[in-house]
């Protein structure tokens, strides 16, 4: 009998508290009554019967009890302590109340509000600005129909390590004919084309094209027609398709423009079509003329063309790639000399346009996101600190009947107000900052014109605001709302509800801040080292006080090479007479420029290589003054002279690294080589080495000097040359005189691409400088925020321990002991943060790899330096309150307690 | 109020019906309800503690019964909690009784049960 009622006592525990607590006693009473009455019947097995009855009852009622308790708690959660089904108006009124209350609270704590809003504005502003760039450059689709289907096809050579070389026209024809995955393909060369006869000579961006360029882009001509395949033959008709903008500007949108003539490159071209509005491929082109390539001179080994293509519907770049690989192998077998070691490389157009900057921009976006996280952590810390001073207020509210939900809602409203104000201000900052950012942006940043604050960017900022409000608002709100009323009220006057939990979340925030700051610092440090390596590079030439520009003689008027040579010779003579000009020279293939020619090279005193495997080298065509103008040192022999003319013995000057490679132990002067160029020039040798000059970094800043061959312009004359003019230091006003010089010689020759050589070099380090500058700014902001956060926390800790410290000092503790005490407490999260941060930095730095020069991603010395830097700054931030703590007069401290 | 309390027409569970019935003539405490039900049904229906108090809790929440304002004068133990039927509870009880009456009438028509009342 007793056992049955004891059993029920145990079973009672199985019931939900919502039933057990109010009714447990009565239930037990009822159970005992049952047992008692069963016993009174005196029947055998009474105890068993009551036990069975109670078990039965429990089995039936337990599920019901639980389901009703769950239902209850659900309906309670839906309307916490409020009357059920609050009306919409009611809710809005509450929200407005919260809003008013939040604004009043912030007005009462202007220092806090300002600090929080500025911190957030900085975070949101920087993020919005960087995101606008990412959005404009990377996220917006290219402005073509179905841009995903557009690809570039390059020639490549695994042996030479080239991946994006130009294509020969016969190879292009095979690609057009034989790759099922390619719907249409067109070859082009982008050129500045000289237009004359419409006023002053002008260079217009343009291209020579094979055919079908508009078809590749699925565009139809606005007027007339596109260039036809049959027009792309040697001595074919001279026709031109003009751009829509060019048509508007130069022909006033004349609908009868088709059939008129336009003088391009000195020859009359018939206008056969107008391109659709906005079409300007490649690189802003407004004029398209047929290539008119002579395939007898320029065959499969004549790599001239960039190829853009459209994938067939449903075809993937991968499919095109494997088809192209098969074709390349077949062509290599069929043309072993011309197509030796040649593959085709199919890359999406988008990748070609933005691939170079994607990594850098994404790294910046990640970095600026970290800054925002740190900003959030700081504001959360501020809110936590404020929370301690407000726990009294919250306790009062909750004692007066505010539910936890209401308190959380109100605190979140405060966070939302802070985030919104910070976000709005951040958006303003972004608006101002974006212009500055774009001015800093490296010259080569593609699609920069798309970078604006648009709906995407606004949505991003809005999202950022919501996320950060939740991030920094929710934790303190939940923490604060949990404060029990009685505990807080009794303590509120003494201002400390601290507790381990809050210290934990506080130090977690600090660890995160320190770790993130260290990662940013490390990234900035790596870029700084790259940058200093880049600027310390010995170029091999003197970039100071050199003006460069391009001259392009209209082909039709300068068909005779002697005319070209004569022009440049007279021009250089004339410019030398201008006061302030020290030296002048011209070159085809200037250092760090994009134009260059290459030739097959055969050393006559060596065994000839098998056909198709000749050495290929860049050749630079120069006038006699070139090396002197750039101060490229002459190491042996002589430079070019005006005597190195057409018709006399052919002379070349070679670079030191060519000597190192091919004539290491011999005198190179007098050695002879043969050049082979696939088209255009008569290069029959032999060419004799007459001089050796120093190496220069000609291809790019970061690639090592390679063997180079200089050829005298008089012996390989071309009408397109880059002119370098060295002026006396500080002289800048020679340009007008140079212009007059050209006008006097030939008014139809435009002057373009005017730039200081130093700017060209600068441009090469531009991207690194850009990323470095932004990362350095982000890192500095991050470290400053982290330092402020640490300072605040250390100061808070000291203020909380004033009394304890006073006692210690009164009992004879040395000031140094006190400082150590505070430092140790403050430094713990810092050390954890440094450990985490170093791990993160090491892993994250791999992402930077492509942006680095001569520095390994996980560079140890950089890690040590930035760690030391961070420790110094945050150490100072902690040391300040620690020092103050050591000065606490014991009497005062004790009184305070 | 829930649907059951509003008399949504669903049959009541038997324990709810018996509890309402037990409270129809007097306020009772839990033990009293259990005893009344057992007596009224001739020992056929015995409400166990879990069943009874789960039902009481739900009926309190639904407003069918309430804590009695003061102990009934004849209360045997002033420390015990007494429950009394509310207006809605009484209405629901009447509806259920009427429903059962209709069911019984139908059963009688089909001669499943005989007249039990004296004619």
């Amino acid at each position: 009998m007793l056992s049955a009622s004891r059993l029920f006592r145990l079973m009672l525990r199985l019931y939900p508290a919502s039933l057990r607590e109010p009714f447990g006693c009565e239930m037990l009473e009822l159970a005992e009554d049952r047992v008692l009455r069963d016993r009174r019947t005196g029947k055998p097995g009474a105890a068993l019967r009551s036990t069975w009855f109670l078990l039965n009852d429990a089995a039936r009622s337990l599920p019901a009890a639980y389901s009703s308790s769950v239902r209850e708690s659900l309906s309670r959660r839906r309307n916490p302590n409020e009357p059920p089904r609050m009306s919409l108006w009611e809710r809005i009124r509450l929200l407005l109340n919260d809003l008013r209350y939040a604004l009043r609270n912030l007005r009462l704590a202007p220092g806090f509000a300002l600090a929080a809003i500025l911190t957030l504005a900085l975070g949101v502003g920087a993020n919005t600005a960087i995101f606008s760039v990412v959005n404009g450059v990377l996220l917006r689709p290219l402005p073509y129909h179905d841009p995903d289907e557009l690809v570039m096809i390059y020639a490549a050579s695994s042996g030479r390590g080239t991946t994006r070389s130009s294509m020969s026209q016969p190879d292009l024809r095979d690609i057009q004919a034989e790759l099922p995955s390619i719907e249409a393909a067109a070859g082009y060369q982008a050129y500045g084309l000289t237009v004359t006869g419409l006023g002053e000579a002008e260079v217009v961006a343009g291209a020579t094209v094979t055919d079908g360029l508009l078809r590749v882009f699925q565009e139809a001509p606005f007027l007339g027609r596109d260039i036809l395949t049959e027009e792309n033959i040697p001595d074919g008709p001279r026709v031109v398709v003009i751009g829509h903008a060019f048509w508007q500007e130069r022909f006033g949108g004349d609908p009868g423009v088709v059939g008129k003539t336009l003088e391009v490159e000195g020859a009359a071209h018939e206008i056969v079509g107008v391109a659709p509005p906005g079409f300007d491929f490649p690189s802003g082109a407004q004029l398209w003329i047929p290539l008119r390539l002579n395939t007898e001179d320029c065959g499969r080994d004549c790599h001239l063309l960039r190829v853009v293509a459209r994938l067939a519907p449903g075809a993937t770049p991968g499919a095109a790639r494997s088809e192209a690989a098969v074709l390349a192998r077949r062509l290599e077998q069929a043309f072993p000399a011309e197509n030796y070691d040649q593959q085709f490389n199919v890359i999406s157009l988008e990748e070609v346009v933005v691939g170079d900057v994607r990594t850098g921009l994404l790294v910046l976006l990640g970095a600026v996101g970290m800054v925002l996280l740190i900003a959030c952590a700081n504001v959360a810390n501020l809110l936590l600190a404020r929370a301690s001073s407000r726990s009294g207020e919250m306790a009062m509210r909750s004692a007066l009947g505010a539910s936890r939900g209401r308190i959380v809602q109100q605190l979140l409203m405060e966070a939302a107000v802070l985030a919104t104000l910070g976000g709005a201000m951040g958006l303003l900052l972004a608006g101002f900052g974006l212009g500055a950012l774009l001015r800093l942006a490296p010259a080569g940043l593609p699609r920069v014109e798309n970078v604006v604050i648009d709906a995407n960017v606004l949505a991003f900022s809005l999202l950022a605001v919501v996320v950060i409000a939740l991030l920094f608002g929710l934790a303190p709100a939940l923490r604060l709302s949990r404060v029990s009323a009685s505990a807080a009220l009794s303590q509120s006057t003494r201002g400390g509800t601290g507790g381990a939990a809050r210290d934990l979340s506080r130090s977690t925030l600090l660890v995160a801040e320190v770790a993130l700051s260290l990662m940013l610092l490390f990234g900035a440090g790596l870029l700084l080292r790259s940058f200093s390596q880049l600027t310390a590079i010995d170029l091999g030439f003197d970039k100071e006080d050199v003006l460069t520009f391009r001259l392009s003689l209209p082909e039709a008027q300068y068909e005779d090479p002697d005319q070209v040579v004569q022009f440049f010779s007279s021009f250089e003579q004339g410019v030398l007479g201008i006061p302030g000009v020290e030296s002048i020279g011209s070159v085809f293939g200037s250092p760090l420029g994009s134009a260059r020619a290459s030739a097959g090279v055969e050393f006559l005193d060596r065994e000839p290589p098998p056909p198709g495997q000749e050495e290929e080298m860049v050749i630079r065509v120069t006038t006699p003054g070139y090396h002197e103008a750039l101060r490229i040192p002459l190491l042996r022999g002589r430079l070019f002279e005006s005597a190195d003319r057409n018709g006399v013995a052919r002379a070349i000057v070679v670079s030191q690294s060519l000597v190192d490679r091919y004539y290491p132990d011999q005198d190179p002067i007098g050695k002879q080589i043969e050049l082979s160029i696939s088209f255009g020039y008569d290069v029959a040798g032999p060419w004799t080495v007459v001089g050796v000059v120093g190496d220069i970094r000609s291809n790019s800043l970061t690639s090592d000097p390679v063997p180079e061959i200089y050829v005298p312009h008089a012996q390989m004359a071309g009408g397109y040359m880059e002119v370098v003019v060295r002026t006396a230091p500080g002289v800048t006003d020679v340009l007008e005189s140079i212009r007059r010089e050209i006008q006097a010689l030939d008014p139809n020759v435009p002057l373009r691409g005017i730039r200081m050589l130093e700017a060209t070099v600068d441009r090469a380090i531009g991207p690194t400088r850009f990323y470095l500058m932004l990362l350095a700014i982000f890192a500095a902001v991050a470290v400053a925020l982290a330092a402020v956060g640490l300072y605040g926390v250390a100061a808070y800790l000291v203020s909380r321990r004033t009394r304890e410290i006073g006692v210690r000092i009164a009992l004879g503790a040395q000031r140094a002991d006190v400082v150590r005490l505070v430092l140790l407490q403050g430094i713990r999260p810092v050390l954890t943060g440094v450990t985490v941060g170093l791990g993160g930095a090491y892993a994250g730095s791999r992402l930077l790899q492509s942006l680095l020069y001569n520095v390994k991603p996980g560079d140890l010395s950089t890690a040590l330096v930035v760690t030391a830097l961070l420790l110094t700054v945050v150490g100072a931030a902690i040391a300040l309150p620690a020092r103050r703590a050591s000065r606490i007069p014991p009497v005062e401290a004790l009184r305070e307690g | 109020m829930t649907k059951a309390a509003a008399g949504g027409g669903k049959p009541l569970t038997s324990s709810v019906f018996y509890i309402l019935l037990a409270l129809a003539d007097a306020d009772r405490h839990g033990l009293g309800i259990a005893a009344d039900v057992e007596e009224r049904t001739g020992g056929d229906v015995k409400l166990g503690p879990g069943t009874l108090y789960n039902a009481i809790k739900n009926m309190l929440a639904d407003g069918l019964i309430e804590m009695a304002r003061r102990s009934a004068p004849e209360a045997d133990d002033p420390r015990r909690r007494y429950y009394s039927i509310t207006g809605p509870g009484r209405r629901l009880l009447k509806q259920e009784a009427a429903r059962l009456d209709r069911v019984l009438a139908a059963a009688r028509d089909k001669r499943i049960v005989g007249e039990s009342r004296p004619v």
Side-chain angles (χ1 to χ4, degrees), chain A residues 22 26-27 29 34 57 65, chain B residues 38 50-51 53-54 80-81 83:
Chain A
E26 291 179 42
M27 287 165 79
E29 192 188 21
R34 166 59 47 197
D57 172 57
Chain B
E38 192 173 343
T51 311
Y53 281 97
N54 198 38
R80 285 197 173 123
R81 273 188 289 192
Y83 304 96

Side-chain angles (χ1 to χ4, degrees), chain A residues 604-764:
Chain A
L604 290 183
D605 55 348
R606 293 165 158 249
E607 199 63 17
Q613 297 181 37
E614 296 93 355
E615 294 284 341
E616 182 116 347
M617 284 182 203
V618 171
I619 56 171
R620 297 182 191 274
V621 184
T622 75
T623 59
Y626 172 73
H627 293 95
E628 198 198 320
L630 281 189
R631 295 194 175 144
I632 300 171
L634 173 69
L635 303 176
R636 261 186 221 193
R638 63 169 176 91
L639 296 172
F640 296 136
E641 296 158 355
S642 49
D644 296 315
R645 293 188 316 270
N646 214 358
V648 305
R650 304 196 128 180
I652 54 171
V653 167
V654 298
S655 68
Q656 179 62 40
S657 53
L658 186 141
V659 176
D660 291 343
R661 189 182 304 174
Y662 297 102
Y663 304 109
D665 307 313
Q666 305 170 49
D667 184 359
I669 304 296
K671 297 285 184 194
Q672 293 193 317
I673 63 173
E674 281 290 352
L675 294 179
S676 52
I677 287 184
S678 44
F679 71 104
Y681 297 98
D682 164 30
V683 291
W687 299 77
T688 307
V689 178
V690 298
V692 179
V693 294
D695 285 324
I696 65 166
R697 302 249 170 176
S698 50
N699 293 329
S700 79
L701 214 53
T702 52
S703 51
D704 288 331
V706 291
E708 297 206 356
I709 296 173
Y710 297 92
V711 178
H713 184 237
Q715 296 180 346
M716 201 191 278
Y720 176 97
M721 293 292 272
E722 288 157 280
V723 183
V724 294
V725 179
R726 176 170 297 281
T727 61
V731 175
T732 51
D733 52 356
V734 295
L735 198 57
E736 267 319 298
S737 314
I738 292 174
R739 222 184 270 279
R740 274 198 298 279
E741 217 38 69
I742 297 171
Q743 285 285 316
L745 281 170
D746 185 343
N748 280 339
V749 174
L751 180 67
R752 56 199 176 99
I754 303 154
R755 187 181 283 157
M756 300 304 289
L757 185 57
E758 199 171 1
T760 308
V761 174
D762 243 35
R763 200 181 147 141

Side-chain angles (χ1 to χ4, degrees), chain A residues 449-688:
Chain A
E449 66 282 0
N450 283 331
V451 176
V452 287
I453 294 185
D454 62 3
N456 273 355
V457 175
L458 288 178
F460 173 85
S461 315
L462 192 67
L463 185 72
V465 165
V466 171
V467 169
I468 60 183
L470 286 176
L471 266 185
F472 72 71
L474 203 54
L478 287 178
R479 168 84 15 88
L480 205 47
S481 69
R482 216 175 289 150
V483 171
S484 96
S486 58
L489 279 176
S490 65
Q491 285 187 17
S492 62
T493 48
R494 284 200 307 233
T497 57
R502 184 168 310 158
D503 283 349
L504 184 68
S505 66
R506 205 188 282 280
S507 61
T508 310
L509 286 173
L510 288 180
V511 167
E513 283 190 47
V514 169
L516 290 171
S517 307
L518 186 62
M519 288 170 71
L520 288 175
L521 264 184
F522 187 60
L526 289 176
L527 283 175
L528 181 66
R529 301 233 0 216
S530 299
F531 186 72
S532 69
Q533 300 266 8
L534 280 173
T535 48
I537 287 172
D538 179 15
L539 295 165
F541 57 88
D542 181 2
K543 63 181 179 172
E544 314 273 327
D545 303 310
V546 176
L547 178 71
T548 67
F549 51 87
R550 299 194 292 272
L551 289 180
S552 166
L553 309 186
E555 270 174 48
Q557 269 104 59
Y558 291 84
E559 280 179 349
D560 180 3
D562 287 343
Q563 266 179 293
V564 175
V565 174
Q566 185 56 44
F567 177 91
F568 280 99
S569 156
S570 322
F571 172 66
E572 290 189 357
Q573 280 306 316
V575 172
L576 271 178
I578 297 170
V581 171
E582 288 192 341
S583 48
I584 183 171
S586 307
V587 63
F588 179 77
S590 64
L592 308 177
S594 54
R596 73 187 61 151
S598 55
V601 179
E602 195 188 334
F603 297 88
L604 290 183
D605 55 348
R606 293 165 158 249
E607 199 63 17
Q613 297 181 37
E614 296 93 355
E615 294 284 341
E616 182 116 347
M617 284 182 203
V618 171
I619 56 171
R620 297 182 191 274
V621 184
T622 75
T623 59
Y626 172 73
H627 293 95
E628 198 198 320
L630 281 189
R631 295 194 175 144
I632 300 171
L634 173 69
L635 303 176
R636 261 186 221 193
R638 63 169 176 91
L639 296 172
F640 296 136
E641 296 158 355
S642 49
D644 296 315
R645 293 188 316 270
N646 214 358
V648 305
R650 304 196 128 180
I652 54 171
V653 167
V654 298
S655 68
Q656 179 62 40
S657 53
L658 186 141
V659 176
D660 291 343
R661 189 182 304 174
Y662 297 102
Y663 304 109
D665 307 313
Q666 305 170 49
D667 184 359
I669 304 296
K671 297 285 184 194
Q672 293 193 317
I673 63 173
E674 281 290 352
L675 294 179
S676 52
I677 287 184
S678 44
F679 71 104
Y681 297 98
D682 164 30
V683 291
W687 299 77
T688 307

Side-chain angles (χ1 to χ4, degrees), chain A residues 8 15 18-19 22-23 26-27 29-31 33-34 37 53-54 57 61 64-65 68 72, chain B residues 30-31 34-35 38 46-54 56-58 60 67 80-81 83:
Chain A
F8 188 76
Y15 286 91
S18 59
L19 185 66
F23 300 112
E26 291 179 42
M27 287 165 79
E29 192 188 21
L30 189 59
D33 179 69
R34 166 59 47 197
R37 278 201 281 164
F53 173 77
L54 290 175
D57 172 57
S61 62
S68 82
E72 258 166 48
Chain B
L31 211 60
E38 192 173 343
K46 291 178 187 161
L47 293 175
T51 311
L52 176 64
Y53 281 97
N54 198 38
I56 286 179
K57 194 184 89 171
N58 290 339
L60 280 170
M67 300 281 186
R80 285 197 173 123
R81 273 188 289 192
Y83 304 96

Side-chain angles (χ1 to χ4, degrees), chain A residues 142-178:
Chain A
L142 297 176
Y144 308 119
H145 297 299
D146 297 323
D148 295 347
E149 294 174 2
L150 291 170
V151 295
M152 296 288 291
I153 307 179
Y154 297 98
S157 157
S158 52
R160 294 203 186 98
T162 56
T163 55
R164 295 189 185 183
S165 305
S166 298
M167 179 100 63
S168 71
Q169 180 160 298
D171 286 349
L172 169 62
R173 292 295 178 223
D174 290 334
I175 283 173
Q176 285 171 324
E178 300 197 19

